[in-house]
Amino acid sequence: MTTRPDTETTPEPAPDPAAAPAPKNAFDRFFEITRRGSTIPAEIRGGVVTFVTMAYIVILNPIILSGGTDVAGDDLGFAQVAAVTALTAGVMTILFGVVARLPFAFAAGLGINSFLAVSVVGQVTWPEAMGLVLINGLIIVLLAATGLRRLIFEAVPMPLKLAITVGIGLFIAFIGFVDAGFVTATGVASPPVGLGIDGSLATVPTLVFVVTLLATGVLVALRVKGGILIGLLSGTVLAIALEAILDLGPKVGGDGSVNPQGWGLSVPELPAQWVSLPDLSLVGQVSFGSFERIGVLAALMLVFTLVFTNFFDALGTMTGLSKEAGLADAKGEFPRLRSALVVEGVGAVAGGFTSSSSNTVFIESGSGIGEGARTGLANLVTGALFLLAMFLTPLTSVVPSEVAAAALVIVGALMMAQIRDIDLSDFSVLLPVFLTVTVMPLTYSIANGIGAGFVSWVVVRTFAGKAREISPLLWIVAAGFVLYFARGPVEMLLGG
């Protein structure tokens, strides 16, 4: 999930069904267009705007996933990931629009894809990692269908829910800084990381990152619709021009030679062809061999982390979007809540099956809502545009990682904004929130941050005399994370 600044307008209250005009036809009745005070032109416009604000994921997701090499030394092809990213986003967005009939678009979640590329594939192969994503989705579907998902969500205190989003934002931003060469390893004990090369920004690709970051930041600050996409495209044009003039080449050559002044994952050059048939060879490349490779306990803890990352962000996002659209009631519930949660779980299953990573609701859908979208019809428009994007995947390889890194930092900053809603005046709240937010980027692990926050919340709040406020479900989750942190010694004991 990603986030954006709040709009300055106050969401209109949900329309009164009794006062709503009669539907014009069966199509209108199905999507409740008139009943929700919308029109077909408004839905189409909202769907297009949502796609424009989300389209960067077709570029960003393959950059993140193709950058991770698994334990077998294999990686995912850039063009293949771009194709399945667009395919899955299109199908899931349309499915959600038809089933839940809400204007919430889907795409690969940035938190989970970073977790897969950085942490998970260091232990398993890519097919095995996607098998874990698929299992995670099946669990979410089960939790949603039985109503347990909402119970678990309600058991976690709001400060921790918000802290998880903030921590993931910092984690994503840190990955962006590293990918851009803005932050590099020093190779010494202290300081372990530093700025650029020997404390200065000495490469053209890193300077392109800085320019793209600032330009995109201005666009987002001005609330320009599609600001992130415009920033990505502008930065790419600049990179192509500089490469044509300076001929920098790749950072790592085909012979293994290193050019510190070169580009990271891809050199910004125009492709030989702009349109091609999508390569969907990654569809179905799923394996469940991780349980044998790393052990049942370690595999289950990875699934556990995926589940937590997935459903906390998604439920919070859908609640916020429904309020923005004026569709939520006083309790924050919105139409077809259970169906929406089930389909969101299906997004994780679909993402694992297609190797595009777990698909979830995007907060950028709020831009379409701001343009008037109130129904699932907008999703049909957004989804159709994502399916069309499958045929334009050669263009995605033009974007260098340094440019995409700017979008990661912007998204991380937007997610950081959630911290404004946390009351940090109570230290028994401050410490768990602080640990959640800081442990994620500093240990390069979303799982570690969530676990540190949950365990510290239970311990500190209990000894602060607030044990009665802690849900029994949270105790169970915290105990699971204690086991997760001690899994190395536990596995040795079990193995011995």
Side-chain angles (χ1 to χ4, degrees), residues 22-155:
K24 299 176 181 178
N25 49 48
F27 184 80
D28 187 348
R29 185 181 303 108
F30 180 82
F31 284 109
E32 301 179 349
I33 299 172
T34 301
R35 183 172 181 266
R36 296 183 185 178
S38 184
T39 63
I40 290 179
E43 296 299 312
I44 293 175
R45 186 173 64 250
V48 171
V49 170
T50 293
F51 172 77
V52 169
T53 58
M54 288 179 59
Y56 70 87
I57 195 64
V58 180
I59 299 172
L60 203 52
N61 192 48
I63 286 179
I64 293 172
L65 292 184
S66 65
T69 302
D70 65 19
V71 293
D74 298 325
D75 51 33
L76 299 179
F78 192 99
Q80 291 92 331
V81 176
V84 295
T85 297
L87 170 66
T88 314
V91 171
M92 286 308 309
T93 297
I94 292 173
L95 179 64
F96 190 85
V98 172
V99 175
R101 304 174 203 172
L102 296 166
F104 307 164
F106 275 60
L110 286 173
I112 288 183
N113 59 10
S114 300
F115 177 55
L116 291 174
V118 175
S119 302
V120 178
V121 295
Q123 307 174 57
V124 300
T125 66
W126 271 114
E128 290 167 351
M130 293 304 169
L132 294 175
V133 173
L134 196 153
I135 294 172
N136 145 69
L138 292 174
I139 292 173
I140 290 176
V141 170
L142 179 63
L143 292 173
T146 59
L148 289 174
R149 183 175 184 180
R150 190 169 186 85
L151 289 177
I152 295 174
F153 181 80
E154 291 173 349

Side-chain angles (χ1 to χ4, degrees), residues 173-348:
F174 189 53
I175 291 174
F177 285 133
V178 172
D179 287 350
F182 190 85
V183 172
T184 57
T186 61
V188 297
S190 180
V193 295
L195 178 69
I197 298 176
D198 296 328
S200 64
L201 305 180
T203 72
V204 171
T206 301
L207 291 177
V208 170
F209 157 77
V210 173
V211 172
T212 305
L213 174 63
L214 294 177
T216 306
V218 170
L219 293 172
V220 174
L222 294 175
R223 289 184 168 87
V224 175
K225 292 180 173 64
I228 294 178
L229 179 62
I230 294 172
L232 281 171
L233 295 177
S234 301
T236 300
V237 170
L238 175 62
I240 291 173
L242 290 173
E243 174 59 24
I245 297 171
L246 302 176
D247 192 22
L248 299 173
K251 182 175 293 185
V252 180
D255 57 357
S257 60
V258 178
N259 170 24
Q261 297 294 322
W263 302 92
L265 295 176
S266 61
V267 178
E269 298 173 328
L270 292 177
Q273 58 180 5
W274 292 48
V275 179
S276 69
L277 292 175
D279 183 348
L280 303 178
S281 58
L282 290 178
V283 176
Q285 297 297 311
V286 178
S287 170
F288 301 103
S290 57
F291 290 87
E292 181 178 353
R293 183 183 298 275
I294 62 176
V296 174
L297 179 60
L300 286 177
M301 291 313 300
L302 289 176
V303 171
F304 179 76
T305 303
L306 289 170
V307 169
F308 266 79
T309 304
N310 225 84
F311 77 63
F312 285 134
D313 279 351
L315 188 54
T317 300
M318 286 191 282
T319 301
L321 290 175
S322 64
K323 289 181 178 178
E324 184 175 353
L327 299 175
D329 60 19
K331 297 180 180 179
E333 297 185 356
F334 49 90
R336 298 179 181 85
L337 173 58
R338 180 168 295 188
S339 296
L341 295 177
V342 170
V343 176
E344 199 280 327
V346 173

